[in-house]
Amino acid sequence: MTAEAQEFLTFTLGDENYALDILTVKEIRGYESVTKIANAPPFIKGVINLRGDIVPIVDLRIKFNVGKVTYDEFTIVIVLHIHSRIVGIVVDGVSDVVSLTKEQLRPPPDFGVAFNSRYLLGLATVNEHMIILVDINELISSEELGLFETAESPAAKP
């Protein structure tokens, strides 16, 4: 592994393979029942108490309309540490950890994937599979998801 390589956790949503920066991952766990939040969008399933932390759970399958939305013993939650907050994302499955260099990344397309391209770092091919690299920090802290107060963002301050 070169000094320039970065590690990514790969996961699936529907038929597509995605990856996110492994350094944002706090833990991987099975889905558990959540406490619903009134008036939350459908992709925000609710919150769980994770060892004293109240963790919002976002189902990316619903948010991006990909994959079959089921909650069973095979449903996976990736718990992330983003901007000093803990957030869980529901995915169809977790695959592997891959190490990629900048040279292996290709620019993201402007269409054809569930994610807005501003949330993508690029594309890479690993073992004949195309992997979509998600800028998970940008996605989770976006106004689109509404998980962070806009006052926390430096751009929102006068």
Side-chain angles (χ1 to χ4, degrees):
M1 184 167 86
T2 68
E4 297 177 27
Q6 183 177 354
E7 290 191 323
F8 294 89
L9 177 68
T10 60
F11 62 94
T12 56
L13 289 174
D15 295 329
E16 296 183 36
N17 295 302
Y18 294 86
L20 55 82
D21 183 347
I22 192 81
L23 296 178
T24 62
V25 177
K26 183 174 170 69
E27 66 183 88
I28 299 167
R29 53 190 295 124
Y31 186 82
E32 60 188 73
S33 64
V34 298
T35 301
K36 304 270 187 220
I37 302 295
N39 299 319
F43 59 86
I44 304 221
K45 297 311 298 174
V47 295
I48 61 169
N49 184 335
L50 183 64
R51 295 181 292 281
D53 289 317
I54 302 303
V55 179
I57 303 297
V58 177
D59 194 326
L60 291 185
R61 303 170 304 175
I62 295 171
K63 174 63 184 154
F64 298 110
N65 197 25
V66 294
K68 184 178 176 192
V69 179
T70 58
Y71 300 97
D72 58 25
E73 67 271 17
F74 302 111
T75 306
I76 301 293
V77 175
I78 303 172
V79 179
L80 305 168
H81 194 257
I82 306 282
H83 301 300
S84 71
R85 286 220 29 214
I86 299 173
V87 176
I89 58 171
V90 180
V91 300
D92 287 324
V94 172
S95 308
D96 204 357
V97 175
V98 296
S99 184
L100 300 169
T101 63
K102 288 190 190 294
E103 293 77 32
Q104 291 175 285
L105 301 183
R106 300 289 169 255
D110 288 329
F111 59 90
V113 294
F115 287 92
N116 179 323
S117 62
R118 77 180 187 145
Y119 304 133
L120 302 181
L121 297 172
L123 301 172
T125 303
V126 177
N127 300 329
E128 308 297 318
H129 295 287
M130 183 69 68
I131 296 176
I132 302 161
L133 299 160
V134 179
D135 184 343
I136 200 67
N137 287 305
E138 184 72 22
L139 175 64
I140 295 297
S141 60
S142 71
E143 286 184 30
E144 190 178 335
L145 287 191
L147 295 175
F148 290 84
E149 296 292 326
T150 52
E152 284 180 27
S153 96
K157 293 183 181 173

